[in-house]
Structure formats: structure tokens, C-alpha cells
Amino acid sequence: MDCSDAEWASYLFMRDNPLGEHRERWRHTYGCGQWFNVLRNTVTHEVTEVYRMGETGGRNA
């Protein structure tokens, strides 16, 4: 792939950041090291659901 530094930076870092509930993958880096999924509100930062990798969340999945 041939692109400028600005194009590459845009590809890596510029994305939609919708307001409201968003499903994310987190890693418990300084604890057990496991990955897990959360449903988090991007406005309030409230986590409303946590579930294991490979599972489908119950709310709005």
C-alpha cells in the first residue's frame, strides 16, 4: 500500500465516535489479562453490560 503519512494517520485514528451505547472489547491488563466485552455509554461512560468473549450480549445485541 502506498500512501502519505497523513493518509495513513487518518486511516488509523480518524473514525466515527457516535454518542450513546457502544460495544467495546476491553482487556484486564493489570489483572488476569483476559479480554471481555462491555456495553458502554460514550457520553456518561456508564457500563451497562459485561459479557465474555464469544458470547452475544443480552441487551440490544
Side-chain angles (χ1 to χ4, degrees), residues 23 39 49 51 55-61:
R23 294 193 180 277
L39 178 62
E49 187 175 1
Y51 53 100
E55 293 181 351
T56 303
R59 278 190 41 190
N60 305 322

Side-chain angles (χ1 to χ4, degrees), residues 12-46:
L12 290 175
F13 303 113
M14 303 306 290
R15 61 182 177 86
D16 290 340
N17 190 16
L19 298 177
E21 290 189 334
H22 185 73
R23 294 193 180 277
E24 302 173 332
R25 290 191 172 141
W26 287 11
R27 182 170 182 246
H28 193 211
T29 303
Y30 296 109
C32 63
Q34 291 188 5
W35 285 88
F36 57 96
N37 297 307
V38 299
L39 178 62
R40 181 180 69 89
N41 187 303
T42 60
V43 176
T44 64
H45 303 291
E46 178 185 13

